Structures are given as C-alpha cells and as structure tokens.
Amino acid sequence: MLARLDKYTLQTLGFALVVLGIFLFMLGLIGGPTGTGPSCPLNGCPPGPLPWYWWLPAASFFSGITLIIIGIILLVVAQRMKPKQA
C-alpha cells in the first residue's frame, strides 16, 4: 500500500512544479521561429499546415502556466497540512 504524502513532500513537489512552470513559461515567451523562412507575397501567405516548430512556443507557454497553477495549489494545500508526527 502506498504511503500518504506528507507536508514536506507536497511542498517540494509544488516548488519543483512552479520552477519548471516558470522555465517553460519563459521558453514559450522567448522561443519560437525567428521568421527567416521564405517570404510571403503582399496579399499574405497561402493557408497550409504549420511546421511542428511553430507549436512548441504555444505548447510550452500554456504548459508552463498550468504547471505554475498546479504548483501553487500544492503549496497552499501543504501550507494547511500538519506535519506528520514520527
């Protein structure tokens, strides 16, 4: 049977998720293609599927926000818990 999580395990997990979320959030803000690919005509680019690397900044941005929110929730839950008595 699995042992129940104690306060310090939840704090550590929450802190790690917040740090990882901040890293992914920043990667989503500064990452991505630089736009040095083929130029589009004056009336715009023709519609078509986007290459895979266009989705990486958006995925890391939203994943980072999600991990930050989950980490903060875990930190709040751990704050309200009592430490396990040995």
Side-chain angles (χ1 to χ4, degrees), residues 55-77:
W55 294 101
L56 285 178
S60 62
F61 179 79
F62 290 115
S63 297
I65 290 175
T66 304
L67 288 177
I68 290 171
I69 291 171
I70 292 172
I72 290 173
I73 290 172
L74 285 178
L75 288 174
V76 169
V77 167

Side-chain angles (χ1 to χ4, degrees), residues 4-19:
R4 188 172 165 192
L5 295 175
D6 64 338
K7 175 179 181 171
Y8 302 112
T9 305
L10 281 181
Q11 277 183 336
T12 305
L13 182 61
F15 180 74
L17 288 178
V18 168
V19 170

Side-chain angles (χ1 to χ4, degrees), residues 12-67:
T12 305
L13 182 61
F15 180 74
L17 288 178
V18 168
V19 170
L20 183 63
I22 290 172
F23 175 74
L24 284 174
F25 179 75
M26 295 302 292
L27 186 68
L29 287 178
I30 64 174
T34 58
T36 59
S39 61
C40 297
L42 291 176
N43 58 357
C45 294
L50 292 174
W52 63 271
Y53 53 82
W54 283 89
W55 294 101
L56 285 178
S60 62
F61 179 79
F62 290 115
S63 297
I65 290 175
T66 304
L67 288 177

